[in-house]
Amino acid sequence: MDWGQILNSAAGELLSPVTAAYALAAIGISVHFGYAGLLNFGQAGFMAIGAYAFVVPILSFDAPLWAGFLSAIVFSIIFALLLGVPTLRLRADYLAIVTIASAEIVRYTVSTTALTDVTGGAAGLSGFNSGFNAINPFPSGTYGFGPFTYTENQLWVRVFGWSLVILASVLVFLLMRSPWGRVVKGIREDEDAVRSLGKNVYAFKMQALILGGVLGSLAGIVYVLPRAVQPANYGTTLTFFIWTMLLLGGAATVFGPIVGAMIFATLLTLSDGILRGLISADIITFISGTQAGQIRFMIIGAVLMALVVFRPQGIFGNKKELSFNV
Amino acid sequence: MPLMYRRASPVVTTIAATVASMIMGIMLAVLMGLSPASAATSPSPEPSPSGDFTSTFTIGGLIRDGDTPIEGVEVQVEGDGFDEVGVTGEDGRWTVPVPGPGAYTATLLPDTLPEGIVPRDPENITRDVTLGTTNTVNVLFPTGEGTVVENNIADTILTRFIYGLNFGLLLALGAIGISLIYGTTKLNNFAHGEMVTFGAVIFFFFGTVIGLPLYVSIPIALALSAFTGYAQDAWLHKPLRRRGVGLVQAMIVTIGLSILARYVILFFLGGNIYTIDTGLTATIDIGPATITVASLVSMGVSILMLILVGLFLTRTRIGKATRAVSDNASLAAASGINVDRIIRIVWILAATLTGLSGILYGVFRQVNWSMGFQILLLLFAAVTLGGLGSAFGALVGALIIGVVTEVSTVWIPNDLRYAVALIILILVLLVRPQGVLGRKERVG
């Protein structure tokens, strides 16, 4: 059993672009749920919208990179509006069901064989990364040390992803200190009280939904930058994992989503490495490598249950800040 | 006022919570004879978000005619001096392991397709496949009944309609379960899909793997399903209610339970798709539509059960008490109804109905580890369509969803039919948020 390699690959997950994408998506849900009290169970849908709206213009229309980003943002705003109009006036569990259903509609749509020419069907899309790598400011070479050794393109995608995470965190931090943020948090605590102060609750909720959704779509872009787009990734499970990360770190906090995503990704890789190591060393003989992968997801489920019951505020959270009461 | 799970009282340990779900796994472990089916060669049904889990590179796919997998179809994979032919198995899946990343072409060999079935697009039977950052690539070759069989549109719609009724009726069983639980506890149970899977898997195991007759295997599956309902309430939700845990928290707990239970089932069942053998394969012609005896029996059983549930709710004391709790739990408690006992009964009843729905769904389609999760949203859609918490609304909603999903395939691609159901859900919420049969009340 090679502990060095197991620890190395787990440490590598700390700063991987996938972790950055998870963190961004978790910040998005933090805006929705942590600050505004909206139950968005469709973050995977926002990520899919971001990924496809970014990639399709580049592949189908030869659009420049900035147009891809713009289209991702525009489409996620439209998606948020579509979600919000029917549901934001209703009780919170309706938003939960509608968001989860919409995310599935998005996934079915991008993976249907009828749209294979545009979206690549179930096989997804690839070969769109050259434009992003072309604006890489780092000269070619090897950077970093130990588990954090990268080629120039790997470094570029990490710097880009984590810069977005930091920007998003700062933006959300500043917004939530602003008068706008106080109203939004007020809505979370008591919608009727805020309404009685003459605030347009519906508009504030919609703005929060859009903000978190745009962060989700940016997460979708970061998620696909170093890899291919695969529609099967954007299932409901992805949303639930991001919720687990958010609740792990703490919902209405600045560092919660980031630390939650880092812990989640690292532990996932670490437990996989350990289990597979034990299997290949013949210490565990009654399960296969595939099944070792499944055990980790059982652990995620159990951790999610335990977290919500015993420490709903997560690692950083303040119990008073977190309101599960909708 | 925050919506709380009913009856906040002293803290009770919820370690039992996790035990409740583990029991499902342990039971499965025993039942499956501890012989985990390895899914190593089948393409991963749901690639996981964090990417690389296997170190082999494969190209594969599923070849079906409508919903029927086609066996014995050959697909040739070439590239980089590599050349191998994959053949679809009983479940219609084919897989070709390839040496590593690179560019390949996959060609469907049309001659190997059965009589009467042709590629939907005969000009386009070659696919370029690039294996890059992903290990497994699925290639699709849509097939259809080509020009060989010509159906007139009315007949097709009628056939689909009958299938839709069957699907809707079995959905109704599961949806009424969700609706009863929601009605009495206001909890959206996301683990309901796994209860569907559980019923189907247990029935598959006893009926098909062990080969017990139907009149033994079905009661066993129903009894174990009922037990999961008991376990969920006794070891998970009742302690949570005692603790005064919020409704949203309880809902997220059921999401955790859903993930846990789903992967426990995958662990023991493996990632393959299985067919339940009921022995009822004869077909009957109803006008232009041909349906199997199994489907007819399934519809009959659903209708009978739905009538029984209806009689239970309207005629028996416990049924009336259930409706009283749904209406106003505090008032029901004040008038001497034991609310916790009613909730326990509701959980057991709901789990039994859902298990039955899983059995029928397994017969209607096939059995796999995520079958229930895949229709969970349809169940929610049915319940929401009919009106949250209304058992009869759930029936109407389920029938609408079932018929719409099946009939819509006449005009739209098969893989979009669930999307249609969900779009209808959203449209109904726009116009009539309380659902088709829901009471007019403010839901905002």
Side-chain angles (χ1 to χ4, degrees), chain A residues 291, chain B residues 28-38 205 209 267-270:
Chain A
Q291 288 177 317
Chain B
L28 263 173
V30 177
L31 296 172
M32 290 292 157
L34 289 166
S35 61
S38 166
F205 179 73
V209 177
F267 186 88
F268 292 107
L269 184 69

Side-chain angles (χ1 to χ4, degrees), chain A residues 22 33 39 41 86 89-91 93-94 96-98 100-102 104-105 108-109 111-114 122-123 223 226-228 230 232-233 236-238 240-241 243 247 268 276 287 290-291 294-298 301 304-305 308-310 312 324-326, chain B residues 2-4 14 17 21 36 40 46-51 53 133-134 136 138 140 182 188 190 236 240 243 248-249 251-253 255-257 259-260 262-264 266-267 373 377 380 384 388 413 415-416 418-419 422-423 425-426 429-430 433 443-444:
Chain A
Y22 286 159
F33 173 69
L39 278 180
F41 280 139
R89 291 180 199 279
L90 300 175
R91 222 169 40 211
D93 38 359
Y94 279 92
I97 290 178
V98 167
I100 202 172
S102 309
E104 287 292 277
I105 293 174
Y108 288 130
T109 310
S111 54
T112 176
T113 47
Y223 190 66
R227 49 165 70 202
Q230 272 198 305
N233 284 343
T236 315
T237 316
L238 177 60
F240 293 160
F241 288 172
W243 270 85
L247 293 173
L268 205 62
R276 279 175 197 279
I287 57 171
T290 321
Q291 288 177 317
Q294 292 150 9
I295 289 180
R296 299 175 308 153
F297 294 105
M298 298 177 206
L304 180 58
M305 292 167 74
V308 175
V309 175
F310 297 110
F324 271 106
N325 310 318
V326 286
Chain B
L3 284 172
M4 283 292 189
T14 30
S21 44
E46 191 182 338
S48 160
S50 54
F53 291 130
T133 49
T134 53
T136 304
N138 280 319
L140 280 179
Y182 181 86
N188 280 309
F190 275 80
L236 181 63
L240 288 184
R243 231 179 122 95
V248 172
Q249 265 167 295
M251 181 166 93
I252 299 176
V253 169
I255 292 177
L257 177 63
I259 298 175
L260 177 61
R262 189 157 68 250
Y263 281 94
V264 168
L266 172 63
F267 186 88
F373 188 62
L377 282 181
F380 275 133
T384 317
L388 276 175
D415 48 10
L416 275 183
Y418 290 169
L422 299 178
I423 288 172
L425 163 71
I426 294 175
L429 279 183
L430 260 178
V443 286

Side-chain angles (χ1 to χ4, degrees), chain A residues 39-72:
Chain A
L39 278 180
N40 171 23
F41 280 139
Q43 196 69 339
F46 279 106
M47 290 176 76
I49 295 256
Y52 278 93
F54 171 71
V55 170
V56 169
I58 293 178
L59 285 182
S60 297
F61 307 110
D62 249 343
L65 203 60
W66 60 265
F69 279 101
L70 191 66
S71 109

Side-chain angles (χ1 to χ4, degrees), chain B residues 384-410:
Chain B
T384 317
L385 261 185
L388 276 175
S390 147
F392 301 106
L395 169 64
V396 175
L399 285 177
I400 296 176
I401 295 285
V403 169
V404 164
T405 48
E406 287 296 323
V407 173
S408 68
T409 57
V410 177

Side-chain angles (χ1 to χ4, degrees), chain B residues 167 171 175 374-383 397-398 401 405 417-419 421-422:
Chain B
F167 186 42
L171 275 183
Q374 284 157 3
I375 60 164
L376 176 69
L377 282 181
L378 294 189
L379 293 174
F380 275 133
V383 172
I401 295 285
T405 48
R417 62 180 163 196
Y418 290 169
L422 299 178

